[in-house]
Amino acid sequence: MPSPAPTLARAARRSVITLVALGVTSAATLTGCSGGTGDAAAPSASASPPPKGAVTRAQAAKIVDNYVAVNNKANGTRNAKLLGTVESGQVHEQSKGDYATFGTWTKADQSDYEKPFSYQDREYYIPADEDWFAVKATASGSKTPALLVFGKEGSSWKLMSAVYSDAPIPTIDTSNHGLATAVTPSTRVGTLAPNDVSPAFEDLYVTGGKKAGAAISHTTSPAKDALKLYKDRTKGKLAKWATKKFFAKDPAYKETYALRLADGGLLAVIPTSHTQEQMLKPQYMSSFQITPDDEEAVYNPAKRVVITDTFQGMALAVLPKSGKPSVIAYEYGMTDSK
């Protein structure tokens, strides 16, 4: 994962990639005891031990520190294998795409990407009885906070998701002894479950939100961006010669992370993915071919009648107790082109 400054700069060059960010406040693991009616020093025999997260706040801080150190080193030489020791999930799919297309970037973007960074103003959300935790942090050189999700893969802690957002985030429930409350992604809250949001969001690209996408809000910036891409698919310099379509795709990693909000709703970090297909119209197929752009050519430099780009992404969704869920932040990265 790069520092956010170059990533945000690159977003302006590719309309299908929008990086936005979000913040969360955290909860350190608290110790506690249950008072009895007898000896104050001895807990009641029936008292339950306080819940625990997979890590303490101090342990979480060391995990983040290690990620930053390894990430900075890996970015300097685009060493995907090294980065894979501290990063996985959808965010690692995007990082590998960045490494692959690095040579097509401007010198300024390359320099920013290689520049070491750190995470500041950290706040932790550590859910009870889970093998993951979330961190709100702001990267050096940026004013936009990020929501980072670290999960355990084997015996290693790795960054699994990272979403940047300018949208405000609702208050997370930390009433469980100061810990956050994780919710099973298949749990329905209001009209949808967290697992339902990604197909609904992708439908904005595929049908303009006429099918599954009708179940989510169309008023947030991410939704408006997706709907604009759908609407503009018949425009542009190739529109006379080729059609453009979007198709929902299974994300490379399907793990969804959901936390209970103080108002009873949910905040979910969801994986999402789609392909973008440009195909010559039948009357031109025998005489013309489409030339891939620089980033597409990294994966396949051949001119062809159909170009299919794959985008892997992550999104941040709010699922209220009543009303439609909203995707408030998202980002995509090209990971293949055929």
Side-chain angles (χ1 to χ4, degrees), residues 96-122:
K96 289 187 292 184
D98 286 343
Y99 285 3
T101 59
F102 184 83
T104 69
W105 302 1
T106 66
K107 294 297 183 183
D109 283 351
Q110 291 177 346
S111 177
D112 285 340
Y113 194 94
E114 293 177 328
K115 189 179 301 180
F117 74 99
S118 61
Y119 284 122
Q120 303 167 347
D121 303 321
R122 302 179 193 174

Short mmCIF file of all heavy atoms in Angstrom, two decimals, residues 96-122:
data_model
loop_
_atom_site.label_atom_id
_atom_site.label_comp_id
_atom_site.label_asym_id
_atom_site.label_seq_id
_atom_site.Cartn_x
_atom_site.Cartn_y
_atom_site.Cartn_z
N LYS A 96 -0.11 -4.67 -5.69
CA LYS A 96 0.57 -5.39 -6.78
C LYS A 96 0.28 -4.73 -8.12
O LYS A 96 1.16 -4.66 -8.99
CB LYS A 96 0.13 -6.86 -6.78
CG LYS A 96 0.67 -7.67 -5.61
CD LYS A 96 0.36 -9.15 -5.75
CE LYS A 96 -1.11 -9.46 -5.63
NZ LYS A 96 -1.38 -10.92 -5.67
N GLY A 97 -0.94 -4.22 -8.28
CA GLY A 97 -1.25 -3.48 -9.50
C GLY A 97 -0.45 -2.20 -9.61
O GLY A 97 0.04 -1.84 -10.69
N ASP A 98 -0.27 -1.51 -8.48
CA ASP A 98 0.55 -0.30 -8.48
C ASP A 98 1.99 -0.62 -8.87
O ASP A 98 2.61 0.10 -9.67
CB ASP A 98 0.54 0.34 -7.09
CG ASP A 98 -0.77 1.05 -6.78
OD1 ASP A 98 -1.53 1.32 -7.71
OD2 ASP A 98 -1.01 1.33 -5.59
N TYR A 99 2.53 -1.68 -8.30
CA TYR A 99 3.91 -2.06 -8.61
C TYR A 99 4.05 -2.38 -10.09
O TYR A 99 5.04 -2.02 -10.74
CB TYR A 99 4.33 -3.27 -7.78
CG TYR A 99 4.63 -2.98 -6.31
CD1 TYR A 99 4.46 -1.71 -5.77
CD2 TYR A 99 5.07 -4.00 -5.47
CE1 TYR A 99 4.72 -1.46 -4.43
CE2 TYR A 99 5.35 -3.75 -4.13
CZ TYR A 99 5.17 -2.48 -3.62
OH TYR A 99 5.45 -2.24 -2.29
N ALA A 100 3.07 -3.08 -10.65
CA ALA A 100 3.14 -3.50 -12.05
C ALA A 100 3.11 -2.30 -13.00
O ALA A 100 3.81 -2.29 -14.02
CB ALA A 100 1.99 -4.45 -12.37
N THR A 101 2.31 -1.29 -12.67
CA THR A 101 2.14 -0.15 -13.58
C THR A 101 3.00 1.05 -13.20
O THR A 101 2.89 2.11 -13.83
CB THR A 101 0.67 0.28 -13.60
OG1 THR A 101 0.24 0.64 -12.28
CG2 THR A 101 -0.22 -0.86 -14.12
N PHE A 102 3.86 0.90 -12.21
CA PHE A 102 4.68 2.00 -11.70
C PHE A 102 5.43 2.73 -12.81
O PHE A 102 5.53 3.96 -12.81
CB PHE A 102 5.66 1.46 -10.66
CG PHE A 102 6.50 2.51 -9.99
CD1 PHE A 102 6.01 3.23 -8.91
CD2 PHE A 102 7.80 2.75 -10.40
CE1 PHE A 102 6.78 4.18 -8.27
CE2 PHE A 102 8.59 3.70 -9.77
CZ PHE A 102 8.07 4.43 -8.70
N GLY A 103 5.94 1.99 -13.78
CA GLY A 103 6.74 2.59 -14.85
C GLY A 103 5.95 3.50 -15.76
O GLY A 103 6.55 4.28 -16.52
N THR A 104 4.62 3.45 -15.72
CA THR A 104 3.80 4.30 -16.58
C THR A 104 3.44 5.62 -15.91
O THR A 104 2.87 6.50 -16.54
CB THR A 104 2.49 3.59 -16.97
OG1 THR A 104 1.64 3.47 -15.80
CG2 THR A 104 2.76 2.21 -17.54
N TRP A 105 3.79 5.77 -14.64
CA TRP A 105 3.41 6.97 -13.89
C TRP A 105 4.32 8.14 -14.21
O TRP A 105 5.43 7.98 -14.72
CB TRP A 105 3.47 6.70 -12.39
CG TRP A 105 2.62 5.59 -11.89
CD1 TRP A 105 1.80 4.77 -12.62
CD2 TRP A 105 2.52 5.16 -10.54
NE1 TRP A 105 1.19 3.86 -11.81
CE2 TRP A 105 1.61 4.06 -10.53
CE3 TRP A 105 3.10 5.57 -9.35
CZ2 TRP A 105 1.28 3.40 -9.35
CZ3 TRP A 105 2.77 4.91 -8.19
CH2 TRP A 105 1.86 3.84 -8.18
N THR A 106 3.88 9.32 -13.81
CA THR A 106 4.74 10.50 -13.93
C THR A 106 5.87 10.40 -12.91
O THR A 106 5.77 9.69 -11.91
CB THR A 106 3.95 11.79 -13.67
OG1 THR A 106 3.52 11.81 -12.29
CG2 THR A 106 2.72 11.88 -14.58
N LYS A 107 6.94 11.12 -13.16
CA LYS A 107 8.07 11.12 -12.24
C LYS A 107 7.63 11.64 -10.86
O LYS A 107 8.11 11.15 -9.82
CB LYS A 107 9.19 12.00 -12.79
CG LYS A 107 9.83 11.45 -14.06
CD LYS A 107 10.49 10.10 -13.81
CE LYS A 107 11.19 9.60 -15.06
NZ LYS A 107 11.79 8.24 -14.85
N ALA A 108 6.74 12.61 -10.84
CA ALA A 108 6.28 13.17 -9.57
C ALA A 108 5.52 12.11 -8.77
O ALA A 108 5.72 11.97 -7.55
CB ALA A 108 5.39 14.38 -9.82
N ASP A 109 4.64 11.36 -9.44
CA ASP A 109 3.89 10.31 -8.75
C ASP A 109 4.82 9.22 -8.24
O ASP A 109 4.64 8.69 -7.14
CB ASP A 109 2.84 9.71 -9.68
CG ASP A 109 1.62 10.61 -9.84
OD1 ASP A 109 1.52 11.60 -9.10
OD2 ASP A 109 0.77 10.31 -10.70
N GLN A 110 5.81 8.86 -9.05
CA GLN A 110 6.77 7.84 -8.63
C GLN A 110 7.54 8.30 -7.40
O GLN A 110 7.73 7.52 -6.45
CB GLN A 110 7.74 7.53 -9.77
CG GLN A 110 7.10 6.80 -10.94
CD GLN A 110 8.10 6.57 -12.07
OE1 GLN A 110 9.18 7.16 -12.11
NE2 GLN A 110 7.73 5.71 -13.01
N SER A 111 7.96 9.54 -7.39
CA SER A 111 8.72 10.07 -6.27
C SER A 111 7.87 10.08 -5.00
O SER A 111 8.35 9.71 -3.92
CB SER A 111 9.21 11.49 -6.59
OG SER A 111 9.89 12.05 -5.49
N ASP A 112 6.62 10.49 -5.12
CA ASP A 112 5.73 10.53 -3.96
C ASP A 112 5.48 9.12 -3.42
O ASP A 112 5.43 8.91 -2.20
CB ASP A 112 4.40 11.17 -4.33
CG ASP A 112 4.50 12.67 -4.47
OD1 ASP A 112 5.46 13.25 -3.93
OD2 ASP A 112 3.62 13.27 -5.12
N TYR A 113 5.33 8.17 -4.31
CA TYR A 113 5.04 6.79 -3.91
C TYR A 113 6.21 6.19 -3.13
O TYR A 113 6.00 5.43 -2.18
CB TYR A 113 4.76 5.96 -5.16
CG TYR A 113 4.12 4.61 -4.91
CD1 TYR A 113 2.74 4.46 -4.95
CD2 TYR A 113 4.89 3.48 -4.65
CE1 TYR A 113 2.14 3.23 -4.74
CE2 TYR A 113 4.30 2.24 -4.43
CZ TYR A 113 2.93 2.12 -4.48
OH TYR A 113 2.35 0.90 -4.26
N GLU A 114 7.41 6.51 -3.54
CA GLU A 114 8.60 5.95 -2.91
C GLU A 114 8.97 6.65 -1.60
O GLU A 114 9.78 6.14 -0.83
CB GLU A 114 9.79 6.03 -3.87
CG GLU A 114 9.65 5.12 -5.09
CD GLU A 114 10.82 5.29 -6.05
OE1 GLU A 114 11.36 6.41 -6.15
OE2 GLU A 114 11.19 4.30 -6.70
N LYS A 115 8.36 7.79 -1.35
CA LYS A 115 8.70 8.57 -0.16
C LYS A 115 8.19 7.87 1.10
O LYS A 115 7.01 7.53 1.19
CB LYS A 115 8.08 9.96 -0.27
CG LYS A 115 8.53 10.95 0.79
CD LYS A 115 7.84 12.29 0.56
CE LYS A 115 8.17 12.84 -0.82
NZ LYS A 115 7.52 14.16 -1.05
N PRO A 116 9.04 7.62 2.08
CA PRO A 116 8.59 6.97 3.32
C PRO A 116 7.51 7.78 4.02
O PRO A 116 7.50 9.02 3.96
CB PRO A 116 9.86 6.90 4.17
CG PRO A 116 10.98 6.96 3.17
CD PRO A 116 10.50 7.87 2.08
N PHE A 117 6.60 7.09 4.66
CA PHE A 117 5.53 7.75 5.39
C PHE A 117 5.30 7.05 6.72
O PHE A 117 5.82 5.95 6.97
CB PHE A 117 4.23 7.76 4.56
CG PHE A 117 3.55 6.41 4.51
CD1 PHE A 117 2.49 6.12 5.34
CD2 PHE A 117 3.98 5.43 3.61
CE1 PHE A 117 1.86 4.88 5.30
CE2 PHE A 117 3.37 4.20 3.56
CZ PHE A 117 2.30 3.92 4.41
N SER A 118 4.52 7.68 7.58
CA SER A 118 4.14 7.08 8.85
C SER A 118 2.67 7.38 9.11
O SER A 118 2.08 8.25 8.46
CB SER A 118 5.01 7.65 9.99
OG SER A 118 4.83 9.06 10.09
N TYR A 119 2.07 6.64 10.05
CA TYR A 119 0.69 6.89 10.43
C TYR A 119 0.65 7.64 11.75
O TYR A 119 1.28 7.22 12.73
CB TYR A 119 -0.08 5.58 10.56
CG TYR A 119 -0.46 4.97 9.23
CD1 TYR A 119 -0.04 3.69 8.90
CD2 TYR A 119 -1.23 5.68 8.31
CE1 TYR A 119 -0.37 3.12 7.68
CE2 TYR A 119 -1.57 5.11 7.09
CZ TYR A 119 -1.14 3.83 6.79
OH TYR A 119 -1.48 3.28 5.59
N GLN A 120 -0.08 8.72 11.77
CA GLN A 120 -0.16 9.58 12.94
C GLN A 120 -1.59 9.64 13.46
O GLN A 120 -2.52 9.19 12.80
CB GLN A 120 0.33 10.99 12.57
CG GLN A 120 1.75 10.99 12.00
CD GLN A 120 2.13 12.30 11.35
OE1 GLN A 120 1.27 13.14 11.08
NE2 GLN A 120 3.41 12.48 11.09
N ASP A 121 -1.75 10.21 14.65
CA ASP A 121 -3.08 10.40 15.26
C ASP A 121 -3.89 9.11 15.25
O ASP A 121 -5.07 9.10 14.89
CB ASP A 121 -3.85 11.51 14.53
CG ASP A 121 -3.10 12.83 14.51
OD1 ASP A 121 -2.48 13.16 15.54
OD2 ASP A 121 -3.12 13.51 13.48
N ARG A 122 -3.26 8.04 15.65
CA ARG A 122 -3.92 6.73 15.59
C ARG A 122 -4.96 6.55 16.70
O ARG A 122 -4.75 6.94 17.83
CB ARG A 122 -2.88 5.62 15.71
CG ARG A 122 -1.80 5.64 14.66
CD ARG A 122 -0.83 4.50 14.93
NE ARG A 122 0.40 4.63 14.16
CZ ARG A 122 1.43 3.81 14.32
NH1 ARG A 122 1.37 2.83 15.20
NH2 ARG A 122 2.52 3.99 13.60
#
